[in-house]
Structure formats: structure tokens, C-alpha cells
Amino acid sequence: MISAETESGYKIEIPSMFDDYIIIKYEGNGWSSVVFKVRKKKSNKFYAAKIISKADMINKNSLDDVINEINVHKALNHPHVVKIYEELELTNSKNEEFIIIIQEYCSKGNLISYLNQ
């Protein structure tokens, strides 16, 4: 089991492997999510996995906002917008539910970090 905390302090614990993905390393966190670099087993390609707790979003009254954001983001198709490849749902061994967004991996990190460098 791998664990990380969101910026708001919510602890997220997930298996080191899920579906067809293997977690490679921790990349960072946001107010309601943690991000890991993952490798797809079948293709050996790297992606970013943004992991969001459903319980945390329900407590923050934000689950509908997250779902709407995912739907809008999936509809975008532009070379300068990070692409979402798939959305998964995962239940860990503690019966906690998570939304996992598999998206394009940006090797230089997020835009804010890149601009600050």
C-alpha cells in the first residue's frame, strides 16, 4: 500500500498496482488530490495518475464539481492542454473509494512549478 496526503491533510492509501498500472513515484499533491507517475504494464508508457478520495469530496460538497471538471476536461482536445486518457474507480483494502484520472505525464511537472524554475 502506498500513501500520501493532499494539501488539505487528507490521507490517501492505494495499492502500488491497480488495473494495468504500476506506481513509479510520488509527483505531488493538490488541495484534494495526490499525483503519482505510473507505468502502464502492457505498453510500458508513463502517465500521471491523479487520485481523489470520494469521501473527501463528499465532505467538501465537491463531488459533482469534480465529475463536471473531468467531463469538461475529457472533451478538450488541444495540444497545449493535458490530455485525460481514462478515468478509473478504485476501492482500497480499507473499503475507501477513489477516483483515478489517468492523464498525460508532463516530465517537467505542473505549470506553476515549471514557471517558477
Side-chain angles (χ1 to χ4, degrees), residues 1-52:
M1 195 77 86
I2 293 177
S3 66
E5 282 189 14
T6 65
E7 283 182 6
S8 64
Y10 193 91
K11 188 174 183 180
I12 290 179
E13 294 181 336
I14 60 164
S16 59
M17 294 189 302
F18 56 89
D19 271 27
D20 191 31
Y21 297 95
I22 299 169
I23 293 178
I24 303 301
K25 72 175 192 166
Y26 173 79
E27 289 288 329
N29 61 1
W31 180 250
S32 59
S33 65
V34 294
V35 179
F36 291 96
K37 179 180 181 180
V38 297
R39 181 177 54 84
K40 191 165 187 163
K41 289 185 247 180
K42 289 181 184 173
S43 67
N44 280 325
K45 290 186 179 180
F46 293 102
Y47 298 93
K50 183 176 184 177
I51 302 166
I52 304 165

Side-chain angles (χ1 to χ4, degrees), residues 90-108:
L90 171 79
T91 303
N92 69 9
S93 61
K94 295 180 176 182
N95 226 20
E96 298 168 316
E97 295 179 315
F98 300 96
I99 297 169
I100 301 177
I101 303 165
I102 302 296
Q103 55 192 33
E104 184 177 5
Y105 178 71
C106 300
S107 61
K108 295 186 180 187

Side-chain angles (χ1 to χ4, degrees), residues 54-93:
K54 279 187 165 183
D56 189 33
M57 291 299 90
I58 290 168
N59 289 339
K60 293 176 179 174
N61 292 320
S62 297
L63 186 58
D64 288 339
D65 295 336
V66 169
I67 292 167
N68 287 337
E69 182 179 339
I70 291 168
N71 290 333
V72 168
H73 198 134
K74 282 171 44 176
L76 298 174
N77 185 16
H78 191 278
H80 300 298
V81 175
V82 173
K83 182 172 176 61
I84 290 180
Y85 291 100
E86 67 179 307
E87 170 198 348
L88 310 166
E89 292 198 16
L90 171 79
T91 303
N92 69 9
S93 61

